[in-house]
Structures are given as structure tokens and as C-alpha cells.
Amino acid sequence: MVTSLTSSSSSRIVGLASGMDIDQMVSDLMKAARKPLDKLYQEKTLKEWKKEDYRTMNTQLLALRTEASNMRLQGTYLARKASSSDESVVTATSANNATTATYSIKITNLATSTIVQSSSDISNIDPTKKISEIFTDVTGEFSFSINGQEFTVDPANKTLNSFLNEISSNSKAGVTAFFASSGTNQGKIVLMSKSTGSTSSINLVDSTNSFLTGKLGLNTTTPGSDATVTINGIETKQSSNIFTINGTTFTLKGKLDTVSTVSVVQDSDAIYNSIKSFVDKYNDVIDKLNTEVREKRYRDYAPLTSEQKEDMKDEEIKLWEEKAKSGMLRSDPILTNCINKMRFNWSQTVSFTGVNADYNQMSEFGINTGSYVDEDGNVTLGEEGKLIIDEAKLKKAINEHPQEVIDFFTKTSDTDNESEMGVAQRLYRTLNTAINDIIDQAGISNSLSQYDNSYLAKAIEDLDERIDAKTESLNDLEDYYYSKFTAMETAIQKYNTQSAWLSQQFSS
């Protein structure tokens, strides 16, 4: 690819005979010839700027499409929250779609782990010392397994504490090992299963020197037990103190024989926040799109050439290019159509049937465009298609008409009729169309995507080919000028030589 004007001539005579500044003369001649090439570079730069602006807008649309995708899901509007009347008995959390209900909880006993511990007090040992220092007769490596996981220990290089930590850190063994310095197990080595319930177990296969059962005395086993809990009058067994029923996860705390009530209700605040976040993102994107399509285009400010930049200061270049780059997507049909379509997506009614068929437009849910007057008489003005939320009205709709709220955003159409679709469904389709149209124009802003078949990419590639051809033509023209001047210099030099010879002949 030819990227600069470089003569292929190997020999040039630059004014030695004539005394003229041949380089400057050729440079002046080439300036006029180079103008078409400068135009091609400027045209390429404009298309590159336009492609960059398109991709920036597409990033915004992609983010909004992600929000719209989430708002198409009914689970977004089925947020639940759980509360306990006595968190010393039980706490609870609810997932979206959890059944709304009230649970009466009474704990008879908690689930416990299987425990293996030393049969006698060995508090006289120092667990920070090496195993071989504590038990002097343990000199060579020994092995054992816990729940099928093999361990090999060098007693000369491992303290008792690090030995116990190694057991605890092996997730497959499923055991917590420690030296109890206090409590009911004080002065004993304890192995506790990480799982609870009657099915929990600790299976020890000791080494030949019986380090676990002999030296540490791990001979006393207390089996794990299930939790016994009465839920709404029905006694049940649970292998863990944490369990899930109908989408609500309960955590038993241990205050026994005391009744606590867990209430699972709709989380209206979470639903409101999801809708508000969606509207805020929509307003942000609408604002950016409006700014882009209405940005002024300064056609007198063309992209600067390299020569022009050489005669300007950095600040001057920056200010010039700010105007040159402005308005690349002014009145762009893809963005303009997307704006108009998104506004219509919100304002168009959603076809409902049944008792609450009147809840078919955004104003019924407290979502408006234009001016809005709050309870204190303050006027908020919507602009350029932005939405305004009446918080009290929207929260009332969420609490009193939850299904209508869900349908307004998520409703689908068996016949692909947009008037039957929810707002989020419509917006997702509109955004998909705009995103794909922009990709057709400007490609994907992704370093992993090496192939760009977009319209602007092809146009830039075509300009590159024209620039190469024009550059090569100008190189040939420059060589032509130099060849003519070289011929002139050669003739002058020949004339000067002959003149000097004649002068010498006459003088002699």
C-alpha cells in the first residue's frame, strides 16, 4: 500500500547548475496536484468519525436492550421479601416467584454435625510445635484418609495446628478440624463434619501407627442429627438448619420451643426500583440520541491535513476538530426512527381484556411525558420524549393491580401484533432493529471481530484503494517534474562547460 509521496528516481540534480531551489519549485507544483488526495483523506476521516459515533450510540442501545430484556421477564415483577417476627428463632429470604404465604415456625431441635473427638484431655500439648516434637516416637511420614481423601504428613515439618488446617482446607474431605481451647470440648482434638443431619458422617482410615486414633485419641463419635421443626402445625425433619420451601429459604437459629412467624409478601419497593431504573436508563439513552441527531454540523470545518496541523498549535487543533467532528449523525434516519419508535412504544396502549382493561396505557401506572404536577404543586417538565414517574401512583398500581403491571410490560402476542405486546417487549424489538441497522452501517465494536462487512467499512476500504492509486500517480508526477528539471540542469551544466572552454580558448 502506498502511503506517502516518495520519488522512485535514483538521481536528481537540484539546482547545482541553475542556482534555483528546485525542491521548493517541485513542492509548489505538487501542492495543487495533491489537493484531490487531501480530499480523499478528509472523506475517509469523516467516515471513520461517523463509524465511531455510530458504534458509541450502539453501545448505549445495547445497554438499554439488556434492561428491556430483563423487564420482559415476569420474574422481575414477582420480587418477594420475607420477614421474621423473631430473628433469634428463624430468619428467611425469598427469591423472585416465591409463594406469598405466612409460616408459623417452632424449633424442637437444630440439625447437628457428626463429631469425632479425643477421648481424653490432651490440653498439656502445644499445638504450635512440630508433631515430632510433641510425639517424639513419631519420626517417619504417615498416611491416613478422611471420607476417602488421602493425607500424607511429615511430622518433622508440620505443626499440629498446620496439620489440622490442612484437613479443614480439603473441601472434598468435608471436615473441620481444630484443637479446642475452650467450651465443652476444651483440651481435645475435634473433627466436625461440614454437613449436618443424620446422614452426615466422618469415615477415618488410620495409618499403621494409628496417629489419629492412637496419638490423638480420636475415638469418641457423636452422630449428627436432623433438625426437628414444626411448620404451620406439621412437624418435619430437615438435614440442615438452612432449607428452602416454595422459594423461601429459612435459617434456623436455635431458640427452641418458641413460635415465630415468617411472612412472605410482594416486594413492592424492589418492583418499583426495577421500573424506575429502567425508565432512568431509557431517559438517559433518549437524551444521548436526541443530542446526537440535533448536534450542529459545521461543514466549513473539514478534517485537518498533516500540513495544516504543522502550522497550528495543539489547542487550535483541538478546537478545530471539535467542530469538525460535530454533527456526524445529525438527522440520521436510523437514530431518528429509533427515537420516534421508542416514544410510540410507550404511548401506544396495550390491549387488555377483563375487569381491569382500562389499565392499558402508561399514564394509568403513573408514567407520563410532558409536564407533571406533584402533590405539592411543583411542576416537572418532560422533554424530548423523556418519561416522568409519579411515584405514589406507580406504587399504588404495583400494590393494587400487580398483574396489570406485569402485563403492561411483559405481555406477548400470539399473532406478532405490537398493540397486544407489553412495553418492554416492544422496546426490545425496536432496539434490536436499530442495533442491527447500525451494525450494517458501522459494524461491531469488538476487537475479537476481525471481519467488518459494514457499509462504512467497505466505503473506507474503497477510499484506501483510491488513496493508494492517487498517491502512486502523484509519485509519478513528482518524478516527472524532477526529470524535467534534471534535464534542464544537465543542459545548463553542459552549456556552462562549453562556455568556459570557449572563454579559455579565446583568452589563450
Side-chain angles (χ1 to χ4, degrees):
M1 179 181 290
V2 179
T3 58
S4 62
L5 297 177
T6 304
S7 174
S8 59
S9 178
S10 60
S11 62
R12 292 172 175 174
I13 301 174
V14 287
L16 293 176
S18 66
M20 293 190 245
D21 188 347
I22 303 301
D23 284 335
Q24 184 61 48
M25 294 175 69
V26 172
S27 177
D28 292 340
L29 287 169
M30 291 300 298
K31 280 183 180 179
R34 191 181 287 110
K35 285 184 177 180
L37 178 62
D38 291 340
K39 292 289 185 184
L40 290 175
Y41 272 116
Q42 289 172 328
E43 187 178 350
K44 176 185 175 182
T45 300
L46 288 172
K47 291 193 181 317
E48 288 174 338
W49 286 347
K50 187 172 185 178
K51 183 170 76 168
E52 181 181 346
D53 281 1
Y54 261 137
R55 289 183 173 187
T56 298
M57 288 299 99
N58 226 15
T59 299
Q60 296 295 324
L61 296 177
L62 284 164
L64 181 58
R65 187 181 68 175
T66 298
E67 294 277 348
S69 180
N70 293 333
M71 297 302 287
R72 293 190 304 163
L73 305 175
Q74 292 198 10
T76 302
Y77 310 89
L78 298 176
R80 300 290 185 258
K81 61 181 178 181
S83 60
S84 173
S85 61
D86 188 345
E87 293 193 348
S88 66
V89 176
V90 61
T91 59
T93 57
S94 291
N96 286 3
N97 298 313
T99 303
T100 56
T102 300
Y103 301 92
S104 174
I105 306 290
K106 185 177 79 168
I107 304 169
T108 302
N109 59 269
L110 293 172
T112 61
S113 301
T114 295
I115 294 176
V116 176
Q117 63 182 9
S118 304
S119 55
S120 59
D121 187 339
I122 53 173
S123 58
N124 59 314
I125 67 174
D126 182 356
T128 64
K129 289 185 175 182
K130 297 289 194 298
I131 293 174
S132 60
E133 294 175 357
I134 299 172
F135 306 101
T136 56
D137 55 341
V138 179
T139 56
E141 283 189 352
F142 58 90
S143 301
F144 60 91
S145 69
I146 300 178
N147 292 336
Q149 293 301 302
E150 295 287 339
F151 295 86
T152 300
V153 180
D154 181 359
N157 292 316
K158 194 174 291 293
T159 67
L160 183 59
N161 276 343
S162 62
F163 162 75
L164 297 174
N165 288 337
E166 183 178 343
I167 294 174
S168 299
S169 61
N170 188 311
S171 59
K172 293 183 179 180
V175 169
T176 299
F178 58 94
F179 183 78
S181 57
S182 61
T184 56
N185 298 319
Q186 184 174 358
K188 297 180 180 180
I189 301 294
V190 178
L191 302 183
M192 179 183 295
S193 64
K194 293 180 180 179
S195 61
T196 58
S198 57
T199 59
S200 65
S201 63
I202 299 177
N203 181 26
L204 299 180
V205 178
D206 210 348
S207 58
T208 53
N209 60 7
S210 302
F211 181 75
L212 296 181
T213 57
K215 297 299 182 183
L216 300 185
L218 293 171
N219 298 308
T220 303
T221 301
T222 303
S225 61
D226 294 331
T228 304
V229 56
T230 302
I231 303 174
N232 289 346
I234 300 175
E235 185 176 279
T236 180
K237 298 283 188 179
Q238 299 290 340
S239 62
S240 172
N241 295 315
I242 302 174
F243 55 90
T244 300
I245 297 176
N246 294 331
T248 297
T249 300
F250 299 87
T251 301
L252 306 182
K253 292 294 187 180
K255 191 175 180 181
L256 306 181
D257 299 323
T258 300
V259 177
S260 177
T261 300
V262 171
S263 299
V264 181
V265 298
Q266 174 179 270
D267 191 348
S268 300
D269 288 338
I271 298 170
Y272 171 82
N273 289 334
S274 293
I275 295 173
K276 184 178 184 303
S277 176
F278 180 47
V279 169
D280 288 345
K281 182 62 180 178
Y282 170 85
N283 284 341
D284 180 59
V285 172
I286 278 285
D287 183 56
K288 287 182 170 64
L289 291 175
N290 280 324
T291 299
E292 197 72 22
V293 298
R294 296 180 182 182
E295 190 175 51
K296 187 173 181 179
R297 180 81 183 96
Y298 297 92
R299 298 192 181 278
D300 292 336
Y301 288 78
L304 295 169
T305 64
S306 299
E307 290 182 353
Q308 288 171 329
K309 288 181 179 180
E310 288 176 1
D311 297 330
M312 298 172 68
K313 296 178 181 179
D314 289 344
E315 185 63 25
E316 291 174 331
I317 295 172
K318 179 182 177 184
L319 292 173
W320 181 284
E321 291 195 338
E322 282 178 359
K323 289 192 179 289
K325 289 181 177 181
S326 176
M328 287 291 102
L329 298 178
R330 180 176 175 83
S331 301
D332 180 76
I334 297 176
L335 300 186
T336 302
N337 183 62
C338 180
I339 293 169
N340 294 335
K341 186 67 173 168
M342 287 198 297
R343 295 176 68 174
F344 183 67
N345 289 156
W346 280 100
S347 61
Q348 185 183 18
T349 59
V350 179
S351 298
F352 284 124
T353 57
V355 177
N356 296 312
D358 290 340
Y359 278 84
N360 62 356
Q361 55 187 332
M362 63 181 182
S363 59
E364 298 295 334
F365 301 96
I367 304 173
N368 305 280
T369 56
S371 62
Y372 159 65
V373 182
D374 64 20
E375 295 177 352
D376 298 324
N378 299 315
V379 179
T380 302
L381 295 176
E383 57 184 58
E384 314 295 351
K386 289 184 180 180
L387 302 174
I388 303 167
I389 292 178
D390 180 341
E391 181 177 348
K393 191 171 183 179
L394 177 55
K395 286 186 174 180
K396 182 179 180 181
I398 291 170
N399 287 319
E400 297 180 5
H401 300 283
Q403 189 57 50
E404 285 73 19
V405 172
I406 293 173
D407 290 342
F408 178 73
F409 285 97
T410 69
K411 191 171 180 290
T412 59
S413 171
D414 294 334
T415 59
D416 204 36
N417 184 347
E418 274 203 353
S419 67
E420 298 176 353
M421 295 180 183
V423 169
Q425 299 284 3
R426 297 172 185 164
L427 279 168
Y428 186 86
R429 284 162 58 103
T430 296
L431 292 165
N432 241 3
T433 299
I435 288 167
N436 289 331
D437 287 345
I438 290 176
I439 290 173
D440 288 342
Q441 283 290 313
I444 301 172
S445 182
N446 185 345
S447 61
L448 298 178
S449 179
Q450 300 298 322
Y451 182 67
D452 185 354
N453 197 35
S454 67
Y455 166 78
L456 285 173
K458 290 179 179 177
I460 291 170
E461 183 179 358
D462 177 66
L463 283 167
D464 280 333
E465 292 176 358
R466 291 168 63 189
I467 287 170
D468 286 348
K470 188 63 178 175
T471 301
E472 188 171 354
S473 173
L474 290 172
N475 282 338
D476 291 342
L477 179 61
E478 186 179 58
D479 282 345
Y480 171 77
Y481 285 144
Y482 270 110
S483 69
K484 292 300 181 183
F485 281 112
T486 299
M488 180 191 74
E489 289 289 325
T490 302
I492 292 173
Q493 187 177 17
K494 184 176 181 180
Y495 169 78
N496 288 339
T497 302
Q498 290 175 343
S499 177
W501 181 82
L502 286 172
S503 296
Q504 183 181 11
Q505 293 301 315
F506 285 126
S507 63
S508 62

